[in-house]
Amino acid sequence: MTKLNGIKKINVAVFISGKGSNLENLIKSAKNKNSKFKISLIISNNSKALGLKFAKKFNIKKKIVNFTKTKLIEKNLLMDLKKKNINIICLAGFMKILSKNFIKRFNGKILNIHPSLLPKYKGLNTHLRVILNKERYSGCTVHFVNSKLDSGKIILQKKVKILKKDTVKSLAARVLIQEHALYPKALNKIINDL
Ligand code: GRF
């Protein structure tokens, strides 16, 4: 926990692999007066992730972590998270699967955002699959992370209607707008329940 202008804020680390639009959105939401969290650390498995630029832009510490050499690296990462008093991890377009050990050892909550209405369409290529299956609705889900892919307890979901003319690109863009509204809302919700 960190005190900002006399208000207690929960320290959050965001894990990314790519563009980082959810990261940018969480950083901006954290600056809202009523927000209960602060983005204190950015972790990426990919040194070329575009989202890393937000570390410099918003003056947030970043770290590139090679998640393939698990045990020792995870131990160091857990130490970094502890040093920075990180209470919550938000996965945002993070393309690695965290080990059971890491999830168990991190003494806090881990959240993920997924671009479908879970439990439907876990995994990759969700937009393509929902369109091919002629679904009427898709959406996004913020959920807790457990050791099974996209399977932890659901915190919040938002439905998005699929249009006849939708392509993967147009649907992904409309779902992403809803992701940006949903993630900070879900984060503030679970902080209330902590
Ligand atoms: C989002 O659609 C998220 O739901 C999924 O990966 C995408 C990441 O986008 N897990 P960004 O990197 O936050 O822009």
Side-chain angles (χ1 to χ4, degrees):
M1 203 119 55
T2 298
K3 266 197 166 182
L4 273 187
N5 302 328
I7 302 164
K8 280 181 189 160
K9 300 255 184 186
I10 294 285
N11 288 313
V12 172
V14 182
F15 286 27
I16 61 164
S17 300
K19 208 159 45 92
S21 73
N22 276 289
L23 163 66
E24 181 185 22
N25 179 65
L26 285 171
I27 295 169
K28 288 185 174 164
S29 308
K31 295 185 190 296
N32 290 342
K33 212 174 82 210
N34 295 329
S35 144
K36 301 185 177 66
F37 61 89
K38 174 178 185 261
I39 308 303
S40 308
L41 185 63
I42 299 167
I43 301 287
S44 177
N45 63 306
N46 170 13
S47 60
K48 296 200 167 61
L50 291 178
L52 285 170
K53 67 174 183 240
F54 298 119
K56 194 162 181 207
K57 183 167 176 196
F58 294 101
N59 195 22
I60 299 169
K61 196 178 168 236
K62 66 163 192 250
K63 208 173 172 190
I64 317 291
V65 177
N66 177 359
F67 279 84
T68 47
K69 293 184 189 157
T70 45
K71 277 263 159 65
L72 183 66
I73 297 208
E74 278 186 1
K75 209 172 154 198
N76 290 338
L77 179 58
L78 284 164
M79 261 157 47
D80 282 344
L81 294 168
K82 204 168 173 194
K83 249 193 264 160
K84 283 242 149 210
N85 282 317
I86 301 294
N87 315 98
I88 295 174
I89 292 173
C90 286
L91 309 183
F94 182 64
M95 301 305 284
K96 287 274 169 187
I97 294 177
L98 296 170
S99 76
K100 262 187 197 164
N101 183 59
F102 181 88
I103 296 169
K104 203 172 107 193
R105 290 280 155 84
F106 176 68
N107 207 3
K109 310 269 184 204
I110 307 179
L111 274 59
N112 181 40
I113 187 150
H114 184 77
S116 80
L117 292 173
L118 290 174
K120 290 177 99 174
Y121 301 100
K122 297 173 183 175
L124 296 175
N125 301 318
T126 52
H127 303 304
L128 178 64
R129 288 186 286 137
V130 297
I131 290 174
L132 290 177
N133 279 349
K134 302 197 186 324
E135 294 281 2
R136 293 181 56 218
Y137 291 93
S138 187
C140 49
T141 305
V142 178
H143 64 95
F144 287 113
V145 170
N146 63 13
S147 56
K148 287 198 196 125
L149 183 71
D150 300 328
S151 297
K153 189 169 169 244
I154 291 171
I155 302 165
L156 284 179
Q157 286 187 309
K158 179 75 187 179
K159 260 188 182 178
V160 172
K161 196 169 169 26
I162 299 174
L163 310 175
K164 278 222 169 79
K165 58 175 189 198
D166 258 331
T167 59
V168 168
K169 208 171 159 196
S170 66
L171 179 60
R174 282 207 321 291
V175 170
L176 194 62
I177 292 171
Q178 297 307 326
E179 290 184 35
H180 293 168
L182 197 69
Y183 215 165
K185 208 166 150 192
L187 190 48
N188 279 315
K189 180 173 189 273
I190 68 131
I191 291 170
N192 273 339
D193 301 343
L194 279 182

PDB file of all heavy atoms in Angstrom, residues 18-22 93 113-115 176 179, ligand 1:
ATOM      1  N   GLY A  18       2.726  -7.044 -25.382  1.00  0.00           N
ATOM      2  CA  GLY A  18       2.551  -6.376 -26.672  1.00  0.00           C
ATOM      3  C   GLY A  18       2.235  -4.903 -26.577  1.00  0.00           C
ATOM      4  O   GLY A  18       2.918  -4.147 -25.891  1.00  0.00           O
ATOM      5  N   LYS A  19       1.130  -4.539 -27.239  1.00  0.00           N
ATOM      6  CA  LYS A  19       0.757  -3.138 -27.435  1.00  0.00           C
ATOM      7  C   LYS A  19       0.572  -2.346 -26.140  1.00  0.00           C
ATOM      8  O   LYS A  19       0.921  -1.184 -26.046  1.00  0.00           O
ATOM      9  CB  LYS A  19      -0.563  -3.137 -28.230  1.00  0.00           C
ATOM     10  CG  LYS A  19      -0.794  -1.959 -29.082  1.00  0.00           C
ATOM     11  CD  LYS A  19      -1.810  -2.261 -30.195  1.00  0.00           C
ATOM     12  CE  LYS A  19      -3.019  -2.991 -29.784  1.00  0.00           C
ATOM     13  NZ  LYS A  19      -4.233  -2.611 -29.382  1.00  0.00           N
ATOM     14  N   GLY A  20      -0.079  -2.936 -25.185  1.00  0.00           N
ATOM     15  CA  GLY A  20      -0.216  -2.284 -23.880  1.00  0.00           C
ATOM     16  C   GLY A  20      -1.314  -1.232 -23.792  1.00  0.00           C
ATOM     17  O   GLY A  20      -1.225  -0.332 -22.964  1.00  0.00           O
ATOM     18  N   SER A  21      -2.369  -1.368 -24.617  1.00  0.00           N
ATOM     19  CA  SER A  21      -3.432  -0.362 -24.510  1.00  0.00           C
ATOM     20  C   SER A  21      -4.168  -0.506 -23.168  1.00  0.00           C
ATOM     21  O   SER A  21      -4.583   0.489 -22.579  1.00  0.00           O
ATOM     22  CB  SER A  21      -4.404  -0.446 -25.688  1.00  0.00           C
ATOM     23  OG  SER A  21      -5.221  -1.581 -25.585  1.00  0.00           O
ATOM     24  N   ASN A  22      -4.310  -1.737 -22.682  1.00  0.00           N
ATOM     25  CA  ASN A  22      -4.924  -1.912 -21.353  1.00  0.00           C
ATOM     26  C   ASN A  22      -4.022  -1.347 -20.260  1.00  0.00           C
ATOM     27  O   ASN A  22      -4.506  -0.766 -19.292  1.00  0.00           O
ATOM     28  CB  ASN A  22      -5.226  -3.388 -21.087  1.00  0.00           C
ATOM     29  CG  ASN A  22      -6.552  -3.822 -21.684  1.00  0.00           C
ATOM     30  OD1 ASN A  22      -7.611  -3.430 -21.205  1.00  0.00           O
ATOM     31  ND2 ASN A  22      -6.495  -4.601 -22.768  1.00  0.00           N
ATOM     32  N   GLY A  93      -2.751  -8.651 -21.830  1.00  0.00           N
ATOM     33  CA  GLY A  93      -2.116  -9.048 -23.087  1.00  0.00           C
ATOM     34  C   GLY A  93      -0.789  -9.738 -22.825  1.00  0.00           C
ATOM     35  O   GLY A  93       0.127  -9.657 -23.635  1.00  0.00           O
ATOM     36  N   ILE A 113      -7.349 -10.158 -18.113  1.00  0.00           N
ATOM     37  CA  ILE A 113      -8.481  -9.767 -18.964  1.00  0.00           C
ATOM     38  C   ILE A 113      -8.452 -10.622 -20.216  1.00  0.00           C
ATOM     39  O   ILE A 113      -7.387 -10.854 -20.795  1.00  0.00           O
ATOM     40  CB  ILE A 113      -8.481  -8.257 -19.289  1.00  0.00           C
ATOM     41  CG1 ILE A 113      -9.767  -7.896 -20.031  1.00  0.00           C
ATOM     42  CG2 ILE A 113      -7.253  -7.815 -20.085  1.00  0.00           C
ATOM     43  CD1 ILE A 113     -10.246  -6.491 -19.804  1.00  0.00           C
ATOM     44  N   HIS A 114      -9.632 -11.135 -20.566  1.00  0.00           N
ATOM     45  CA  HIS A 114      -9.709 -12.035 -21.724  1.00  0.00           C
ATOM     46  C   HIS A 114     -10.820 -11.542 -22.660  1.00  0.00           C
ATOM     47  O   HIS A 114     -11.913 -11.208 -22.188  1.00  0.00           O
ATOM     48  CB  HIS A 114      -9.999 -13.460 -21.244  1.00  0.00           C
ATOM     49  CG  HIS A 114     -10.001 -14.448 -22.358  1.00  0.00           C
ATOM     50  ND1 HIS A 114      -8.843 -14.915 -22.936  1.00  0.00           N
ATOM     51  CD2 HIS A 114     -11.019 -15.023 -23.035  1.00  0.00           C
ATOM     52  CE1 HIS A 114      -9.153 -15.743 -23.919  1.00  0.00           C
ATOM     53  NE2 HIS A 114     -10.461 -15.834 -23.995  1.00  0.00           N
ATOM     54  N   PRO A 115     -10.549 -11.529 -23.984  1.00  0.00           N
ATOM     55  CA  PRO A 115     -11.542 -10.954 -24.896  1.00  0.00           C
ATOM     56  C   PRO A 115     -12.647 -11.924 -25.331  1.00  0.00           C
ATOM     57  O   PRO A 115     -12.854 -12.144 -26.534  1.00  0.00           O
ATOM     58  CB  PRO A 115     -10.686 -10.501 -26.086  1.00  0.00           C
ATOM     59  CG  PRO A 115      -9.549 -11.449 -26.101  1.00  0.00           C
ATOM     60  CD  PRO A 115      -9.298 -11.863 -24.671  1.00  0.00           C
ATOM     61  N   LEU A 176     -12.282  -4.185 -27.364  1.00  0.00           N
ATOM     62  CA  LEU A 176     -11.186  -3.505 -26.649  1.00  0.00           C
ATOM     63  C   LEU A 176     -11.680  -2.246 -25.924  1.00  0.00           C
ATOM     64  O   LEU A 176     -11.245  -1.964 -24.797  1.00  0.00           O
ATOM     65  CB  LEU A 176     -10.048  -3.155 -27.626  1.00  0.00           C
ATOM     66  CG  LEU A 176      -8.716  -2.764 -26.982  1.00  0.00           C
ATOM     67  CD1 LEU A 176      -8.136  -3.900 -26.147  1.00  0.00           C
ATOM     68  CD2 LEU A 176      -7.693  -2.340 -28.044  1.00  0.00           C
ATOM     69  N   GLU A 179     -13.067  -3.476 -22.877  1.00  0.00           N
ATOM     70  CA  GLU A 179     -12.004  -3.944 -21.963  1.00  0.00           C
ATOM     71  C   GLU A 179     -11.484  -2.759 -21.143  1.00  0.00           C
ATOM     72  O   GLU A 179     -11.249  -2.869 -19.938  1.00  0.00           O
ATOM     73  CB  GLU A 179     -10.846  -4.552 -22.754  1.00  0.00           C
ATOM     74  CG  GLU A 179     -11.178  -5.869 -23.412  1.00  0.00           C
ATOM     75  CD  GLU A 179      -9.956  -6.483 -24.096  1.00  0.00           C
ATOM     76  OE1 GLU A 179      -8.841  -6.330 -23.594  1.00  0.00           O
ATOM     77  OE2 GLU A 179     -10.140  -7.121 -25.156  1.00  0.00           O
TER      78      GLU A 179
HETATM   79  C1  GRF B   1      -6.561  -7.662 -25.179  1.00  0.00           C
HETATM   80  O1  GRF B   1      -7.568  -7.923 -26.114  1.00  0.00           O
HETATM   81  C2  GRF B   1      -6.663  -8.610 -24.003  1.00  0.00           C
HETATM   82  O2  GRF B   1      -7.975  -8.953 -23.694  1.00  0.00           O
HETATM   83  C3  GRF B   1      -5.924  -9.817 -24.508  1.00  0.00           C
HETATM   84  O3  GRF B   1      -4.836  -9.294 -25.255  1.00  0.00           O
HETATM   85  C4  GRF B   1      -5.182  -7.993 -25.743  1.00  0.00           C
HETATM   86  C5  GRF B   1      -4.119  -7.063 -25.250  1.00  0.00           C
HETATM   87  O4  GRF B   1      -4.227  -5.791 -25.791  1.00  0.00           O
HETATM   88  N1  GRF B   1      -5.557 -10.694 -23.413  1.00  0.00           N
HETATM   89  P1  GRF B   1      -3.298  -4.625 -25.226  1.00  0.00           P
HETATM   90  O5  GRF B   1      -1.858  -5.100 -25.295  1.00  0.00           O
HETATM   91  O6  GRF B   1      -3.729  -4.313 -23.836  1.00  0.00           O
HETATM   92  O7  GRF B   1      -3.555  -3.471 -26.176  1.00  0.00           O
END
